[in-house]
Amino acid sequence: MWLYAGRRIVLTIPILLGVTIICFALVQIAPGDPIQNLLSPTATAQDAARLRAAYGLDQPLMVQYFIWLGKVCVGNLGMSISDNVPVAGEVLHAFVNTIVIALISVVLAFVVSMIFGVIAAYRTGSLADRLITAVAVFGISVPPFWLGVILVIFFAVDLSWLPATGMGASGSETFSYFRWADFKFAIMPIIALALPPLGIMTRTTRSSIAEILNQDFIQTLRAKGLSEAQVIVHAVVNIMPQAVAMLGLQLGYLIGGSVLVETVFTWPGTGYLLNKAVLTRDIPLLQGTILVLATAFVLINLVVDLAQSLIDPRLKRS
Amino acid sequence: MNAMTSPDLSQATPHPAPFLRVEDLRVKFVSRDATVRAVNGISFNLERGKVLCVIGESGSGKSVMMRSLLRLHPKKRTVIEGTMMVGEHDIGAVSDRAMTQLRGSLISMVFQEPMTALDPLYTVGDQIAETVRRHEGLSKEAAWARALELLELVRVPSPERRLKAYPHELSGGLRQRAVIAMALSCRPSLLLADEPTTALDASVQIQILVLLRKIQQEMGMSMIFVTHDLGVAAQIADQVAVMYAGRIIEYGNARDVLLNPQHPYTKAMLAATAKDQDRNLPLEAIAGNPPDLRALPDGCSFAPRCKYAGPDCIVTMPPPVTDIRGHMARCFKVEAADGPLAFDERVAEPA
């Protein structure tokens, strides 16, 4: 087990290096010149060259990459061009905001989809199955930003139960998920984020449970006198490796793909930050955000792999 | 001939109340497109401590009959008719809850495929202990101790280590031993073995067979052993039932059925075994295919493949003909005038 874990961890290092190269290259490929955005309309070519040199943008690409990588390794992601604050702090702060609601959403979606999926698979063709399938298809097909807007219209504007946007009066610095006055700001973003993974995971849970229930060993379990509840526990344990993989994948998507939802709810997370960085051509901020997101994705996959090998003894050997 | 015809087999059995009594068991699988009649009126008795071998080719209803005894078929799509009495329990009538309590304790089952019969994510010990705890409410430690004893009983080498092993870490033979240990864990009175040796290597087959027979005798269990291997049947059976298209077409003591086969199907099957055959001749095979269980013919189901079949065989199902020893065959050409059954192809079918 430890050997497997060690090997798996070592294997992530080249992946992470690849991530940094792609992060770096993506920004180089992107059209536009960030220096132009900073200059006043009256600036001369000399001013531009000076500024370019100040940011190190006049160096060869390889040199720029290694300088950048060296700084990244010590946690220096450079200065944000538009705000003139360290990128690392800004990204980290946004990342915490994103990962917490992403985690809550995905865990919520996971638990609900497990229950839904098991019921649907166990009672195939029943009314419950059809209702659950309808909810799942709704979750998969509805664009989350549209859902976000609808939620705002319904719960914030019409019913005034929940605040429409932002993180509330206490601001993101002192935001606490354990204080209702703060938490109510997170409810709608969580719902909007949770619905698509809920739909996808319900569908996969349903089909995996149905598949497991058709396997021979289920008959053995019944033949030895287990109750249906105990049989279902076995079936659920058996889909856990897949379910955990799915969970990790969805968490990755939520972290990277929350731009729209965070923009709708002005939730100050990485998606919001990414949007801002792109619009202002803030390359260090963009790079830093993408790097943190990609690294998070890689690490989530690592955790998923390790968790899978813990659950499924057959995976340890390979 | 009619005088010797006895549709009720229990009359031929000396003991009044056999341990297992199956009477006119019929199993249908109903779906939107078709109704599959897998078992079409099976009756037999089995005494305590005896072994019944059920022989028949794939699709003859052997496994379906076994699963019916445990009520393992999906309720919605299955229609089961007839009587199944195991001891004082009426399998057809007990509640679902009571049924789960009978499964694994009164009746347990060993399946054909040891590779897929165990849950891959639980250790062998967990799976055996789970059964014991379910039925006998033992503590975890006591259940594991019992699991260890059981692995010793089924002669698993280094059982302590194997308890903690996952199914994929064991060979096919060891897995089947583990499955058998699980089935025996609560000392069942009736063991249903559904081709337990078919998926194993020939050398391992014999070991498992000998083991099952030995344990069956030691524990005094009744056993129904499904196989399509006549050699296996000869080894362990007290009684043999030959099934075809969901019916028992020949039944009797192992010696009677295997040495004095009466039904053309049993005869053909015995002729198709490799034992005592001329090496230079190709093995005889039964021509044709098993009947379609969705549309069974009215007459004898074997008639379309039977070289002795006359015109009436196709129209009427032959009634069982039984001799004084309880040897039964369902064929118009079998007579039991005085003593054992005798096959005479000149006998004409009734009009």
Side-chain angles (χ1 to χ4, degrees), chain B residues 144-163:
Chain B
W144 272 75
R146 170 75 76 78
L148 184 66
E149 280 169 35
L150 284 158
L151 284 192
E152 281 163 359
L153 176 74
V154 295
R155 316 263 189 314
V156 169
S158 41
E160 293 89 352
R161 188 156 60 84
R162 261 56 187 256
L163 273 184

Side-chain angles (χ1 to χ4, degrees), chain A residues 3-276:
Chain A
L3 192 74
Y4 174 80
R7 262 184 49 203
R8 189 63 190 74
I9 289 167
V10 170
L11 278 175
T12 49
I13 293 171
I15 299 174
L16 284 174
L17 272 180
V19 164
T20 60
I21 291 171
I22 292 170
C23 277
F24 184 78
L26 269 180
V27 174
Q28 301 302 322
I29 296 163
D33 185 353
I35 297 300
Q36 291 301 333
N37 274 6
L38 291 175
L39 291 171
S40 62
T42 56
T44 60
Q46 258 181 339
D47 293 334
R50 219 174 321 117
L51 201 56
R52 208 174 291 277
Y55 280 110
L57 296 178
D58 56 343
Q59 303 275 344
L61 275 186
M62 279 294 275
V63 177
Q64 279 190 47
Y65 170 69
F66 281 109
I67 291 172
W68 176 74
L69 186 63
K71 286 178 180 168
V72 165
C73 288
V74 294
N76 177 4
L77 297 177
M79 296 295 277
S80 155
I81 293 180
S82 49
D83 295 346
N84 210 24
V85 293
V87 168
E90 207 172 347
V91 172
L92 194 73
H93 197 77
F95 184 71
V96 170
N97 285 340
T98 295
I99 189 112
V100 174
I101 58 164
L103 266 174
I104 296 175
S105 304
V106 90
V107 167
L108 184 75
F110 181 75
V111 172
V112 176
S113 71
M114 276 288 153
I115 297 167
F116 278 10
V118 167
I119 295 172
Y122 202 71
R123 297 249 174 272
T124 317
S126 68
L127 184 66
D129 178 21
R130 272 176 283 170
L131 267 174
I132 287 167
T133 304
V135 171
V137 171
F138 179 78
I140 295 169
S141 8
V142 159
F145 60 87
W146 176 84
L147 181 72
V149 173
I150 296 297
L151 286 174
V152 168
I153 292 174
F154 196 67
F155 289 107
V157 180
D158 288 354
L159 293 171
S160 337
W161 285 358
L162 296 169
T165 57
M167 286 188 94
S170 54
S172 71
E173 304 294 328
T174 54
F175 189 88
S176 165
Y177 287 89
F178 301 104
R179 201 185 308 140
W180 171 246
D182 286 346
F183 183 71
K184 64 182 181 186
F185 284 89
I187 291 175
M188 284 199 289
I190 286 172
I191 293 173
L193 282 179
L195 211 62
L198 171 70
I200 293 165
M201 290 198 285
T202 301
R203 297 296 286 163
T204 36
T205 306
R206 181 186 182 274
S207 64
S208 337
I209 289 274
E211 197 188 309
I212 293 286
L213 286 177
N214 273 328
Q215 287 194 8
D216 285 357
F217 74 83
I218 292 293
Q219 187 165 240
T220 315
L221 296 176
R222 293 205 174 109
K224 69 185 191 181
L226 297 194
S227 66
E228 283 306 295
Q230 287 173 306
V231 171
I232 288 173
V233 169
H234 274 265
V236 169
V237 168
N238 267 274
I239 66 154
M240 272 304 151
Q242 291 151 276
V244 167
M246 200 68 197
L247 179 95
L249 207 61
Q250 293 301 323
L251 183 61
Y253 282 142
L254 285 196
I255 289 175
S258 56
V259 181
L260 294 170
V261 170
E262 288 184 5
T263 308
V264 167
F265 293 104
T266 17
W267 187 263
T270 44
Y272 188 70
L273 203 62
L274 217 50
N275 187 27
K276 191 174 93 179

